[in-house]
Every structure is written in structure tokens, then in C-alpha cells.
Amino acid sequence: MSKSNEALPPLYPILYEETVRRALIEDLGRAGDLTTAAIVPPDAVAAASIVARRAGRVAGITVAAAAFHCLEPHLDVSVRVADGSDAEAGDTLLVVRGAARPILSAERTALNFLGHLCGIATATRDIARAIQQYPTRVVCTRKTTPCLRALEKYAVRAGGGANHRFGLDDAVLVKDNHLILAGGVSEAVRRLRGSVGHLVKIEVEVNSLEQLEEALREGIDAVLLDNMPVETLVRAVRMAKGKAWTEASGGISPANAPAIAATGVDLISLGWITHSSPALDVSLDLAISL
């Protein structure tokens, strides 16, 4: 198991506590945990370990802990593997001790968050490793689960990636449909210059070298090179060098990422790391405390 990534700033609890609370309400419904309430005595205590069933990058450990604390603040929760670290199959990630009922009732919610976020972090780590010989960085997109964006983008950071814009309000990305409605790159950028603040970055999506040339004339900050073949990407990166950040997007996978990074592109963006990464297999093993 690797050491913790100390460069990864933790998530503020305010960013996930309400999300966790809503997930618990969804699961507990109107009558609570019928099974646990009937079987487990109110005074029963237990110790439970969350274990990784396969190797991966950890993300969301504090979110999982919050699920237990939401139901019982006095539970003793001990983190064994920090976010941003790699766990081997069989490693214990977290241990919780105390009243058995809230441990069982929070189990599924805690595992759902943790498995999902670890899956994103692991996928990000794997593609970052595939291109580690190049300076190109892996970034995510807005293709996130509704209401989980802050958590999923955090998991990308835990995996060694970086974040693209968080929403429609923190950066400009002019896409193909904007260009259709504006009548072209130059007119779209002209309208933006008269609207957005001076600190807002402007990125334009292009799918041809002709569009790229027009965008560069407008002095934009970044270009999204959409679904370009590697040969075209090489030319595009040369054209934009020293003028704008370059971002390759579309159909990128661990298999072709090295060839794309070799073109010299600054960033590669992938939607699938947040919307299609398989969850890491994690489970809760419980023992009765005497």
C-alpha cells in the first residue's frame, strides 16, 4: 500500500454532509431499517471493518465515515487508508465501533459512496499512469452524476487528475451549438468579450484546423480539439503552441491516451472517468463486540 497523498486537500464537510444525509433518508424511508430494528437489540455493540476486495485508489473515505456519524455521532470511526492512497485487495480502509444498529443501517450508503468514488479515483490513476512520461494532464468534464459533482471531481483529484470547469458559471467553453447560433467563432468570441468579466477564461471547441486558426486569431485562452486524429492533433498543437492551452477530447481511452499525449497536447479530457468508471468492490465485515 502506498503512502497517503499529502498534497490532496481534504473536502470540507459542508460539501458532502447534506448529500450523505439525503442518501440516508432515501434508504431509511418512512419507517427506518425494519430488518435491523427487529433483529438487533438496542444495546448491541459491534466493530466493523470496510475492506477493499480488489486493489484501487481510495477516495471518499471521509464521506463514508459521515454516513455512520449522521446516524450516531458517538460511533468511533478510525480511518486506516487515507484518500489519495493506493490500497491492495484485502486492505482495511476504515474501522467503525459502537452501537450495532446505526452501523448496519448506514452500511449500504457508506459503501455506495466509497465504492463509486474509489472507482473514479482508480480509473483516473490508471490513465494518468498510462501517460506519465508526458507532461499532459488528465482532466474530467461536466459529465457527472447530478448532485454528486463536487464529490466526483474530488475523486478525480484523488486519482491524480485535475478538474475542468465545475459548472457553467466559472469558465467559458464555446461548443459547436454555440458557434451555429452565433454564426462562427469570431462572432461568438466578440459577444463574449462584451459580456464576461476579465478574469473568466475563454475556451473554444474546434474540429478542424481552419476553425482553430480562426479561434487563435481571436486571442482565446484555450482550445478544445474535438475528436481529431493523431496526425491532425500534431499539427493543431504546433499551431497553438505559445498562443493557447490545448485540450484533446473525444474517444480517449487508456489504450490510445499515450499516443494522444505524445502529440504535446496540454490536457486530455475524459467524460467516462466520472460517468462510467466501475465501482471499486468494497464490503463491510462485522464482528460482535463483547
Side-chain angles (χ1 to χ4, degrees):
M1 182 178 65
S2 71
K3 294 182 179 180
S4 173
N5 177 5
E6 296 180 357
L8 178 68
L11 275 177
Y12 288 115
I14 195 172
L15 294 175
Y16 58 80
E17 285 180 338
E18 184 58 32
T19 302
V20 172
R21 188 173 290 109
R22 288 199 305 267
L24 287 165
I25 291 171
E26 176 184 59
D27 207 22
L28 291 168
R30 295 169 296 177
D33 184 350
L34 299 177
T35 310
T36 298
I39 295 173
V40 181
D43 59 349
V45 293
S49 301
I50 292 182
V51 177
R53 295 304 180 200
R54 65 177 179 88
R57 176 64 58 89
V58 176
I61 201 76
T62 56
V63 181
F68 296 108
H69 279 147
C70 274
L71 294 190
E72 176 47 74
H74 299 296
L75 288 173
D76 177 32
V77 178
S78 175
V79 173
R80 298 295 177 84
V81 181
D83 287 346
S85 300
D86 288 318
E88 299 298 329
D91 282 350
T92 296
L93 308 181
L94 178 148
V95 176
V96 56
R97 297 181 177 88
R101 280 186 172 183
I103 291 176
L104 291 182
S105 296
E107 173 186 356
R108 178 41 51 198
T109 296
L111 294 179
N112 283 349
F113 278 115
L114 185 59
H116 177 56
L117 297 178
C118 287
I120 292 171
T122 301
T124 305
R125 178 204 64 184
D126 290 348
I127 198 151
R129 284 179 175 174
I131 63 169
Q132 62 186 349
Q133 69 188 97
Y134 305 103
T136 306
R137 297 204 66 185
V138 177
V139 298
C140 52
T141 71
R142 285 170 46 245
K143 295 177 182 178
T144 55
T145 307
C147 300
L148 293 185
R149 183 169 296 172
L151 297 182
E152 292 176 345
K153 283 183 173 285
Y154 168 76
V156 168
R157 299 196 298 275
N163 296 148
H164 208 289
R165 59 177 179 165
F166 264 75
L168 298 173
D169 63 335
D170 63 333
V172 167
L173 176 50
V174 183
K175 298 179 72 67
D176 53 355
N177 288 331
H178 296 115
L179 297 178
I180 290 171
L181 293 170
V185 173
S186 297
E187 178 59 18
V189 175
R190 185 192 68 79
R191 295 179 189 181
L192 284 166
R193 298 283 189 214
S195 177
V196 300
H198 67 288
L199 294 179
V200 178
K201 299 288 186 180
I202 296 177
E203 181 174 14
V204 176
E205 176 186 300
V206 300
N207 54 31
S208 69
L209 296 180
E210 291 73 24
Q211 274 190 323
L212 172 60
E213 186 175 16
E214 184 181 1
L216 292 174
R217 285 199 302 266
E218 298 300 327
I220 44 83
D221 300 290
V223 286
L224 191 158
L225 307 168
D226 185 44
N227 281 292
M228 287 186 175
V230 170
E231 298 78 11
T232 307
L233 271 176
V234 171
R235 296 177 61 190
V237 169
R238 288 174 181 167
M239 288 173 61
K241 188 173 180 62
K243 300 176 182 177
W245 283 77
T246 52
E247 173 189 345
S249 184
I252 300 173
S253 68
N256 64 13
I260 293 172
T263 67
V265 69
D266 296 306
L267 308 165
I268 57 173
S269 59
L270 309 96
W272 66 263
I273 56 176
T274 49
H275 69 63
S276 296
S277 296
L280 189 73
D281 186 6
V282 293
S283 64
L284 185 141
D285 297 338
L286 185 137
I288 299 174
S289 295
L290 301 176

